[in-house]
Amino acid sequence: MSELFDRIDALVASRSVLPPPAERKRLRQAHGLTLDEVASALDVRRATVSGWEAGKTEPRPPERDAYARLLDQLGELYPEPSAAEETDDPAVPETFTSEPAPARGVRTVAAPASEASAVTATENAQASAPVAAAPAAASRPARTAKPSSRRPLARKAAPDGTPAGGIDARFENGPLAVVDVDADGQVLAYCVGGLVLDVPARSIPALVEWTLREAKLGAPKLSGPGKDADPLLVLTPSALRRYGLPVALTEEERHAGRIPEGHKVIKQLARAEWKLTKRGFGPWARIYRPATGSDRQCVQLCIPSWNVLDTRHWGGAAQLPPAELTRVLGVYASRVMTPRGSTAVTGLELMTALHPPTRASEPDTDGKRHSEHNPGSLGKDPVDCAPCEAPDGHPLLADLPRFHVRGPGEKLFEEAYDWARPMTDAECTLRHLVGIDVNMAFAAGANGLAVGIGAPTHVKAPVFDPKLPGSWLVDLSHVDLSRVKVGKDTWADLDASLLPSPFTPKGEQPEGPAWYATPTVAYAVELGYEVHPLEAYIRYDNGRYLDGWYNRLRDAYLATMADLGVGTDLPPEEFLAAMDGYRQRDPQLAIVVSAIKATVKGGLGKLRERPRGEGWKPGQPWRALARPTWRPDIRAAVISRTRINMHRKIVKHAAFTGQYPVAVLSDCAVYASDGPSPLDFLPYRDGKPLPGGFKLGINPGLVKHEGTQSVLWGEEVRERFNAPDLNLARYIKDGTVTDVDSGE
């Protein structure tokens, strides 16, 4: 009988009306549940539950039944308060003749009517609240607006991702603030969630003091041995003028990356005993006093009008009103980390923040703790790369002749694909060229990848081990793509002339021994061929250093895309529809998506940062070499695995469908098709994709529609530029072809 009742309960739940999205979130938070806990209980992804609560997607059976039951039980425990209960506050009289005084220096930005019921000054001060719910506020607060009559101490449940102890009171106003001057001359600090603070400081030194003593800005550390994030102040042009700083840098200052040492603001800082880092007072200035014990005093400035927010990654963020800029940077800071510089710098800093080089030791005999190496980190001291991994001009290559050009047998050259071929006669009879793009391809390449932690060991004639990261000198010219292994005991016959080689970025077949990263050599074995390395630089000290970095960026990307209406569990047709025009649904969150993706690529690029002027000459060390995170071997391994992941899908697709790509550029592949949609050539059966092939979806490693052009367009472009191998993947998105030689 109990089973019968259970089935009846499930039947009722499957047809019951779910509460509105805002109520779903209220109920979950009222019970102190996190998105992760609900997702784990329902066996779905965190971003899926976030999408349900944002109203972007709706649950489907069987998860819907369980979700409805959860909400029904929570609704009984936490009934929605009536309007009278919400405004009833014995501390506030029903009528008064004068405005009650708000908390000193605190204002709130006016919110849209539909969201006003969810916004209070105290609630909006929560630093890590999901910023997608933050109001798209006006750029100026209403100075005459009456303060809320709600209970001043009322506070929502802790936002998702908040530690069990609740919000850190030190950072209750969020990770950053945009400092602006309003029409009345008042300096205001726009904080995450709509909170606005009055700023009494009249100089940069006073602003730094106020930030550290009163503003309650910053963010908790991302890992146990790490450090809390320093508060970030973003100065608008009006704030620059108020504090005596130039709104724009001169050409000489832009070249130097800083204002002159004799500037009056720098003198003010010196008199107040504040210091600047070696980079001086530039677009990402760091102002500090030497730490005393655990007391860290440091504030970072970001100055958008000094060209710090690259339009390729941040779009028009620098021109946004203060409240909207706060929202964009606040989402990024809460989901990735507080920006430490460009997206590339932040991507690299995120690796260190998740794996700090040192930690506190166990107490010694005197009860004191000491700094020691943090296992799994890259440590605090740099290690030399292998000679084959060193870029041209590296000190390890100082003895080479001046104009010597290293070939594949001397240099590790793991780069992303840039390959194309002429179309076949059969492909020319089709109507469309369809581009598919791998989501967060390089992040997916880092997921689960074992990389070197310590220095390399040189080995002669080693036995190849796919579990050991390193660089291997091996001849792969014997690998025949016309017959490859595509399963445990399954071989496929392919047309090798229509495929790029997986071993070179240009897709050319190797002609002899060359240096490769471990994933590339392992793929040759996977295709069914033996390998016999001549020598190798192996890293026996290794680990999955990038896993936490990948997880953080993946979650940030998926959460933001869910806020834009693109969930992780959408069927192919719904996914394509959701991706169509997603940037227009919330342009500010679309900026965050671009910044997250740039953080992935830029962070990996920083692992092999080249000299940046500074009077450098070939054979001399440059500044980046002093970092423990200067690791070209890790970058090479990630790129190698990303390229191999792409080739594996191409081979699976060709073996099953007989279709071959016309062009491949990094994470984008172009196929000729009868129809304009990816579904016109991707082999879906009953909604399920080809195992191991391309799959539509928003998760890293899955693909989305990049663009569609006509076959006639492709042939006309190649004929116009007299380039039968022109890489059409570069232009497939919108069909605009610029200077072919520059590849723009």
Side-chain angles (χ1 to χ4, degrees):
M1 183 66 69
S2 61
E3 294 180 1
L4 177 61
F5 287 166
D6 289 342
R7 290 199 299 270
I8 291 175
D9 290 344
L11 182 63
V12 172
S14 68
R15 296 296 186 272
S16 61
V17 178
L18 295 177
E23 179 65 3
R24 302 171 194 173
K25 183 175 181 179
R26 185 191 73 81
L27 291 172
R28 173 179 60 77
Q29 292 182 335
H31 201 60
L33 298 175
T34 66
L35 285 172
D36 289 322
E37 289 174 326
V38 175
S40 177
L42 299 177
D43 198 23
V44 297
R45 296 184 63 84
R46 179 184 187 277
T48 301
V49 181
S50 176
W52 295 345
E53 292 186 353
K56 305 297 185 182
T57 58
E58 288 294 323
R60 300 192 304 274
E63 291 82 11
R64 187 187 191 282
D65 307 349
Y67 190 50
R69 184 187 294 264
L70 170 67
L71 295 176
D72 184 61
Q73 294 180 14
L74 293 178
E76 294 178 1
L77 293 173
Y78 309 98
E80 186 175 5
S82 65
E85 291 173 336
E86 288 184 344
T87 57
D88 182 24
D89 186 351
V92 180
E94 292 183 4
T95 60
F96 48 85
T97 57
S98 62
E99 294 182 8
R104 178 179 177 272
V106 180
R107 313 175 186 203
T108 55
V109 177
S114 61
E115 301 183 38
S117 63
V119 179
T120 69
T122 307
E123 293 164 350
N124 284 334
Q126 298 176 352
S128 56
V131 195
S139 59
R140 295 281 188 272
R143 294 177 63 84
T144 59
K146 293 184 179 181
S148 170
S149 63
R150 296 188 180 190
R151 290 185 291 271
L153 297 181
R155 189 181 289 273
K156 284 185 179 179
D160 306 321
T162 302
I167 297 171
D168 193 324
R170 298 172 300 162
F171 313 127
E172 66 178 28
N173 291 338
L176 54 86
V178 176
V179 180
D180 188 48
V181 180
D182 68 6
D184 296 329
Q186 174 62 47
V187 182
L188 305 174
Y190 291 76
C191 304
V192 169
L195 182 73
V196 181
L197 305 177
D198 288 322
V199 181
R202 297 187 177 183
S203 67
I204 289 293
L207 179 64
V208 174
E209 294 276 5
W210 171 83
T211 302
L212 293 173
R213 293 183 179 182
E214 299 183 41
K216 295 185 178 181
L217 296 173
K221 57 190 177 183
L222 296 180
S223 66
K227 299 176 182 177
D228 296 328
D230 298 321
L232 173 66
L233 297 181
V234 184
L235 304 183
T236 66
S238 61
L240 294 174
R241 285 188 285 267
R242 169 60 62 90
Y243 291 120
L245 290 166
V247 173
L249 298 179
T250 66
E251 184 176 350
E252 182 179 352
E253 290 168 345
R254 283 199 305 272
H255 181 73
R258 65 183 76 185
I259 58 177
E261 294 295 327
H263 194 280
K264 65 177 183 180
V265 170
I266 297 181
K267 292 180 179 179
Q268 291 172 358
L269 290 169
R271 285 196 296 269
E273 299 183 344
W274 288 105
K275 297 180 179 295
L276 293 165
T277 61
K278 292 181 180 179
R279 294 189 179 275
F281 202 118
W284 290 98
R286 299 189 69 80
I287 304 171
Y288 73 99
R289 284 177 179 147
T292 55
S294 60
D295 182 21
R296 180 178 172 88
Q297 298 186 71
C298 182
V299 173
Q300 179 166 321
L301 303 183
C302 168
I303 306 178
S305 65
W306 291 5
N307 300 318
V308 299
L309 299 178
D310 192 325
T311 55
R312 295 172 300 173
H313 311 142
W314 291 102
Q319 283 71 48
L320 290 175
E324 296 177 16
L325 178 57
T326 303
R327 182 184 181 226
V328 169
L329 295 176
V331 174
Y332 182 88
S334 65
R335 292 178 175 173
V336 180
M337 70 178 297
T338 305
R340 295 289 303 272
S342 67
T343 50
V345 169
T346 304
L348 194 70
E349 291 287 342
L350 180 61
M351 296 180 194
T352 303
L354 294 169
H355 286 284
T358 59
R359 67 177 183 182
S361 67
E362 293 296 324
D364 59 16
T365 55
D366 296 328
K368 295 182 179 180
R369 297 180 183 270
H370 306 276
S371 177
E372 66 178 14
H373 173 69
N374 182 28
S377 76
L378 299 182
K380 61 180 181 180
D381 298 316
V383 297
D384 285 336
C385 62
C388 63
E389 298 163 352
D392 294 337
H394 192 279
L396 287 174
L397 310 175
D399 294 335
L400 289 178
R402 182 176 181 184
F403 297 106
H404 178 73
V405 177
R406 294 187 293 160
E410 299 174 278
K411 179 180 180 180
L412 177 70
F413 192 64
E414 295 283 10
E415 298 294 341
Y417 265 133
D418 185 356
W419 169 87
R421 62 169 175 83
M423 283 185 276
T424 65
D425 292 342
E427 288 167 340
C428 288
T429 64
L430 303 177
R431 298 178 58 191
H432 301 282
L433 292 172
V434 184
I436 51 176
D437 180 80
V438 181
N439 296 309
M440 300 273 284
F442 293 98
N447 182 28
L449 177 65
V451 299
I453 300 297
T457 300
H458 188 212
V459 182
K460 288 285 189 178
V463 175
F464 176 69
D465 185 347
K467 295 181 180 179
L468 284 178
S471 300
W472 309 77
L473 180 63
V474 59
D475 188 351
L476 299 181
S477 60
H478 64 290
V479 177
D480 183 6
L481 294 180
S482 63
R483 183 161 178 78
V484 296
K485 201 173 184 180
V486 293
K488 185 176 181 181
D489 298 308
T490 306
W491 289 75
D493 294 321
L494 304 174
D495 187 343
S497 66
L498 302 180
L499 284 172
S501 167
F503 308 127
T504 60
K506 291 293 185 180
E508 302 164 344
Q509 185 71 3
E511 298 179 352
W515 286 98
Y516 302 101
T518 296
T520 302
V521 185
Y523 186 57
V525 177
E526 179 184 327
L527 292 177
Y529 293 86
E530 293 185 357
V531 296
H532 302 285
L534 303 176
E535 59 178 303
Y537 287 91
I538 300 172
R539 287 174 166 82
Y540 294 104
D541 179 12
N542 60 75
R544 293 166 59 162
Y545 172 73
L546 294 174
D547 273 10
W549 183 80
Y550 162 78
N551 290 332
R552 180 86 177 170
L553 291 165
R554 175 205 61 196
D555 292 347
Y557 176 70
L558 293 181
T560 311
M561 290 302 297
D563 292 336
L564 286 165
V566 186
T568 58
D569 300 325
L570 297 176
E573 297 84 355
E574 294 182 23
F575 168 71
L576 292 174
M579 287 295 295
D580 187 18
Y582 76 91
R583 292 182 175 275
Q584 282 67 51
R585 293 177 200 141
D586 191 328
Q588 294 172 22
L589 288 183
I591 291 174
V592 178
V593 170
S594 296
I596 292 171
K597 293 193 288 187
T599 303
V600 173
K601 291 186 177 181
L604 293 173
K606 278 282 184 179
L607 291 170
R608 199 190 69 158
E609 183 177 0
R610 302 301 306 277
R612 305 177 63 185
E614 304 170 356
W616 174 81
K617 295 181 180 180
Q620 296 179 347
W622 57 92
R623 181 184 297 178
L625 299 186
R627 296 194 320 249
T629 49
W630 192 85
R631 293 295 300 272
D633 57 298
I634 296 179
R635 173 187 177 273
V638 174
I639 294 176
S640 164
R641 193 166 187 237
T642 303
R643 193 182 67 247
I644 294 306
N645 286 345
M646 173 67 89
H647 195 273
R648 184 182 292 112
K649 290 179 172 64
I650 290 171
V651 166
K652 294 275 188 181
H653 186 86
F656 188 80
T657 67
Q659 298 170 333
Y660 297 83
V662 172
V664 183
L665 180 68
S666 187
D667 47 10
C668 176
V670 176
Y671 282 85
S673 170
D674 265 330
S677 168
L679 288 174
D680 291 318
F681 71 93
L682 293 182
Y684 273 81
R685 287 185 176 178
D686 300 324
K688 296 182 179 180
L690 170 68
F694 296 108
K695 178 183 177 181
L696 289 166
I698 198 58
N699 286 289
L702 305 188
V703 299
K704 62 179 182 293
H705 184 203
E706 178 70 1
T708 296
Q709 305 297 328
S710 69
V711 168
L712 291 177
W713 165 85
E715 289 296 272
E716 187 274 331
V717 167
R718 285 178 164 178
E719 183 177 346
R720 187 199 325 164
F721 292 100
N722 192 26
D725 294 334
L726 179 67
N727 196 327
L728 298 175
R730 182 172 282 115
Y731 317 107
I732 195 70
K733 189 168 189 176
D734 59 10
T736 302
V737 181
T738 55
D739 186 353
V740 172
D741 291 334
S742 67
E744 295 178 357

